[in-house]
Amino acid sequence: MIQFIGKGVYGAIAMGNVSIFKKQDTVVKRVHAEDTEAEKKRVIAAREASAQQLKEIYDKALKEVGETHAQIFDIHIMMLDDDDYNESIENIIDTQSVNAEYAVAVTADNFAQMFSSMDDAYMQARAADVKDISNRIIANLTGAISPETLSNDKMIICADDLAPSETVALDKEKVLAFVTAHGSSNSHTAILARNMNIPAVIGVGDDFLAKIKNGDEAIVDGFTGEIFINPDDATKEKMLQKQKEDEDKKRLLQELKGKENVTLDGTKINIFANIGSVDNIGAVLVNDAGGIGLFRSEFLYLENADYPTEEQQFSAYKKVLESMANKKVIIRTLDIGADKQVDYFKLKKEENPALGYRAIRICLKRPEIFKTQLRALYRASVFGNLGIMFPMITSVSELEKILEICNIVKLELQAQKIEYSDNIELGIMIETPAAAIISDRLAPMVDFFSVGTNDLTQYTLACDRQNSDIEEFVDTHHEAILRLIEMSAVNAHKHGAWIGICGELAADTTLTENFLRMGIDELSVSPTFVLKVRDAVRKTDLTKTK
Ligand code: PEP
Ligand code: MG
């Protein structure tokens, strides 16, 4: 048995087999090949394996997300058969006597460059597709096959780190737990694990991947951060017992379904849920959330190989609103950039991406993208109770520009006689210290605030949320953060706005009483935490002096 320790970021226990997730864009080396015929045969085999995998992904996507979204995988299968593409690979192998991986990588670069230089936006977007299929061929050539193809069993995904775009690509039904050598507790892998109700352990250490192999038996304890590889019988026994106790506790919480979020002295609060995809609505309903406090709409962009169209977005928003049957649904506009990178946005590499070109900054510089999303949102608004929220606000003038664009979109829809609700609440994320400090100026302009403690923490404490080396400096209960939240609450209420918290801190039940005392109106948490927070609220008595 080998034991590792990292940081547990979602408390649950999983037992199963290891599947190592390898990055697909590893650097490809140029190697001299004596037997070029053998290299060409390797390409053919890898291409056939890729086609088979894509076919499976297409079938799955067709069932889960419908034909429009699945189509891209069909295009990928066709691209695999493209004569020019395949001739180029063979030519490079023949003329340069090089390995198959190198020939595929060079062809991918050449084709991607050719597509990018075309005038037509549709053709430009094919650059990302050709890279995608080439990465898949290379992964099949090198044996770095993505976990979805490894087995039909559920797996413990072990990785160096996982980018949001990688986690969305995973077949979630086959994931038992996430373990990463690096990463941080506020990373989107951690958030995803909470949404999926599976354990996650991060920061296990540099040597972790070198010491494990695919298929190893493993136990992940998301409470303590312990990982046991090929555990002995005594450990298995102990962990089975712990798993049972945890499940019993979670079962007890089920009894809180249908009960009010009310303190012992009668103070009420809303408990909503955070989601990243239409697929999460089931979890929201099962856990009895009162609404959706944060729909991270950027995942629609991350899941797509190209800008999602107005129609695609409209149908996703409509589905969420209809499923929630008039309960509040707050959809946050695009928050791309920083840790959430999407190829087709072609964002430049930045020295400090968290402080760079992201979220509302992209929307204001590229209003065509913003307007497409707003049109889809306004059109969908007639199907439920919509709130629209804007991320990464730092100034009054930004908010003025946003509200002006919203008005333009409404006028355009009116001119086209397209219906939208006149009951949409507009709000902003308070996730920069600047926004909290000028919350007295911002509050009169909106209906609500929602505090994004993940970013507010990183910006207030100057601690990059992606950097696992500085976790010890991240004091999520830091007085500065709590003061900024309280200041925002006072200012919101002074100007008739309501205030919620949608960052991960909202689920920290050691702070529930503090938040209630500050007058926070809503806590929005991963669906799996709704009942836990309800339990904490119902045990709180605000008449007792602290
Ligand atoms: C936050 O910053 O707290 C937040 C909710 O947004 P995200 O985690 O998506 O950046
Ligand atoms: Mg944020």
Side-chain angles (χ1 to χ4, degrees), residues 186 358 392 429-437 450-463 465 480-486 488 501 503 505:
N186 269 339
R358 62 171 287 199
M392 274 294 286
M429 302 268 307
I430 299 287
E431 55 183 345
T432 64
I437 293 165
S450 187
V451 184
T453 50
N454 309 337
D455 278 314
L456 187 62
T457 305
Q458 88 163 335
Y459 296 128
T460 307
L461 304 184
C463 284
R465 69 192 264 192
I481 298 164
L482 298 179
R483 281 202 210 175
L484 289 175
I485 299 176
E486 186 159 28
S488 307
I501 302 177
L505 205 62

Side-chain angles (χ1 to χ4, degrees), residues 79-90:
M79 287 174 94
L80 280 175
D81 269 339
D82 182 83
D83 287 342
D84 292 340
Y85 176 77
N86 289 318
E87 270 166 29
S88 160
I89 296 172
E90 291 199 356

Side-chain angles (χ1 to χ4, degrees), residues 51-61 148-149 174:
Q52 183 55 35
Q53 289 155 10
L54 284 166
K55 171 95 189 43
E56 282 169 24
I57 298 174
Y58 172 81
D59 290 342
K60 182 170 172 285
E148 85 241 357
T149 60
K174 291 186 190 164

Side-chain angles (χ1 to χ4, degrees), residues 143-307:
I145 303 175
S146 54
E148 85 241 357
T149 60
L150 277 176
S151 151
N152 274 328
D153 295 331
K154 289 192 163 200
M155 291 286 187
I156 292 174
I157 303 297
C158 300
D160 184 50
D161 196 2
L162 283 166
S165 59
E166 289 164 337
T167 47
V168 295
L170 285 174
D171 182 346
K172 319 259 183 326
E173 279 170 19
K174 291 186 190 164
V175 183
L176 271 179
F178 290 115
V179 185
T180 59
H182 302 104
S184 69
S185 22
N186 269 339
S187 69
H188 285 273
T189 310
I191 293 172
L192 183 72
R194 285 173 204 131
N195 270 334
M196 291 168 65
N197 199 13
I198 58 170
V201 176
I202 53 144
V204 182
D206 290 337
D207 58 346
F208 172 58
L209 291 183
K211 292 195 172 156
I212 58 168
K213 57 181 186 322
N214 278 322
D216 272 348
E217 206 185 324
I219 300 180
V220 181
D221 183 341
F223 294 100
T224 58
E226 284 170 302
I227 320 288
F228 304 95
I229 303 292
N230 300 321
D232 55 33
D233 288 345
T235 308
K236 274 194 217 169
E237 185 72 23
K238 194 176 102 193
M239 296 310 290
L240 270 171
Q241 181 59 27
K242 194 166 175 185
Q243 190 178 40
K244 189 180 164 304
E245 284 164 15
D246 174 43
E247 281 166 4
D248 287 346
K249 257 193 224 149
K250 286 185 178 143
R251 211 165 299 123
L252 264 184
L253 283 180
Q254 299 298 311
E255 287 172 16
L256 292 179
K257 281 189 189 166
K259 301 239 164 92
E260 272 192 307
N261 308 310
V262 60
T263 60
L264 292 169
D265 57 288
T267 305
K268 288 188 186 159
I269 189 167
N270 283 322
I271 304 180
F272 289 178
N274 296 345
I275 62 168
S277 139
V278 180
D279 299 344
N280 301 142
I281 297 171
V284 175
L285 298 172
V286 163
N287 288 291
D288 197 28
I292 290 174
L294 167 64
F295 176 12
R296 290 182 163 92
S297 70
E298 57 273 12
F299 283 87
L300 284 176
Y301 293 73
L302 283 163
E303 282 163 1
N304 245 28
D306 202 349
Y307 296 100

Side-chain angles (χ1 to χ4, degrees), residues 387-406:
I388 304 177
M389 170 156 84
F390 305 103
M392 274 294 286
I393 300 300
T394 57
S395 70
V396 169
S397 65
E398 263 165 5
L399 187 52
E400 280 169 352
K401 283 187 200 128
I402 292 166
L403 298 178
E404 198 181 306
I405 296 175
C406 288

